[in-house]
Amino acid sequence: MASNAALVGHLAGGAAIPLQLDVKARHPDGSVRHAVISAVLPALGAKQTVAMTLDRGAAGAAGAAGATTAGNVASLLGAGFSTSFNATINGVRYTASADELLKAAAPKAW
């Protein structure tokens, strides 16, 4: 992905979602090989799913859709932040819970 390009998420129905792309590795030609994509999604009910497409856009395009203000851990947890990952791969169960990890982490001064 070129330095002047951005990644934009679009929910079913067309609503744009700002994304954060943290590039972890690049190919020799400079294109992205591996990255972590983060987003703040609208509230979903239990077991509710929503489809999102990833589209290339101009740098700053995601911000135009409405940037979010970063908060601290206490405000995230106080607002009901909760997310988890569960997978079974080759018979081995893997789980992770971001909110449980945040609750267990010692507060840090940034």
Side-chain angles (χ1 to χ4, degrees):
M1 181 179 296
S3 62
N4 64 344
L7 193 61
V8 180
H10 288 98
L11 297 179
I17 299 293
L19 301 175
Q20 177 178 326
L21 180 71
D22 296 311
V23 177
K24 300 299 181 184
R26 292 187 177 272
H27 291 285
D29 68 356
S31 62
V32 175
R33 180 172 157 226
H34 177 82
V36 175
I37 302 170
S38 304
V40 176
L41 299 176
L44 298 175
K47 306 217 180 222
Q48 182 182 356
T49 62
V50 63
M52 179 170 54
T53 61
L54 301 178
D55 302 299
R56 187 181 301 210
T68 58
T69 303
N72 62 33
V73 171
S75 66
L76 281 172
L77 295 173
F81 171 78
S82 176
T83 189
S84 61
F85 170 81
N86 298 293
T88 302
I89 302 171
N90 293 331
V92 178
R93 183 157 173 80
Y94 298 91
T95 63
S97 169
D99 47 307
E100 291 302 321
L101 291 170
L102 288 172
K103 290 174 189 173
K108 295 180 182 179
W110 299 99

